[in-house]
Amino acid sequence: VQLQASGGGLVQAGGSLRLSCAVSGRAFSSHVMTWFRQAPGKEREFVSALRWGGGNTYYADSVKGRFTISGDKAKNTGYLEINGLKPEDTAVYYCAVGSSYSRSPSEYRFWGQGTQVTVSS
């Protein structure tokens, strides 16, 4: 399984980005896709997850109402729409795929390489 994350960048506070995560090498519909982020000097933290089969979505409290996770089965690609960006959202964002939903990074075997999001105030 290979994951390719993209879409990060430098934006001003209040701006928006759409991150993408392209998955190859495995039946995408059986996975949970999860986004994590890691800021400098901090641990990797859960952001959002999509239970692909049922369409259930999950969000960290810090991003509820601003972030939206979705996926395109035909393209084997997941997305994270980020609105209302804040300086504290600055981090490397990682996508991961797993067989079951978890907010713990240790439960995920397959990871994308990460994409940098930097928010200026």
Side-chain angles (χ1 to χ4, degrees):
V1 180
Q2 293 184 329
L3 286 74
Q4 180 72 38
S6 61
L10 171 63
V11 296
Q12 290 187 331
S16 299
L17 284 172
R18 189 175 80 156
L19 308 184
S20 300
C21 180
V23 183
S24 61
R26 194 167 179 177
F28 189 43
S29 61
S30 64
H31 292 163
V32 172
M33 172 168 282
T34 304
W35 288 91
F36 293 86
R37 66 185 181 186
Q38 188 166 17
K42 295 187 176 181
E43 293 186 350
R44 193 166 297 190
E45 65 173 0
F46 169 82
V47 174
S48 181
L50 170 66
R51 198 187 294 274
W52 195 250
N56 304 74
T57 58
Y58 308 88
Y59 297 94
D61 288 343
S62 59
V63 307
K64 276 182 183 177
R66 298 189 298 122
F67 289 22
T68 303
I69 192 170
S70 63
D72 185 329
K73 290 182 181 180
K75 296 182 178 180
N76 279 356
T77 300
Y79 304 99
L80 186 68
E81 189 83 27
I82 307 176
N83 298 303
L85 278 160
K86 304 175 181 180
E88 52 263 43
D89 293 320
T90 294
V92 178
Y93 284 69
Y94 297 91
C95 57
V97 173
S99 58
S100 59
Y101 167 62
S102 173
R103 296 194 174 205
S104 173
S106 64
E107 295 298 316
Y108 292 85
R109 179 180 175 187
F110 302 107
W111 290 84
Q113 83 286 6
T115 185
Q116 176 72 47
V117 172
T118 303
V119 184
S120 62
S121 57

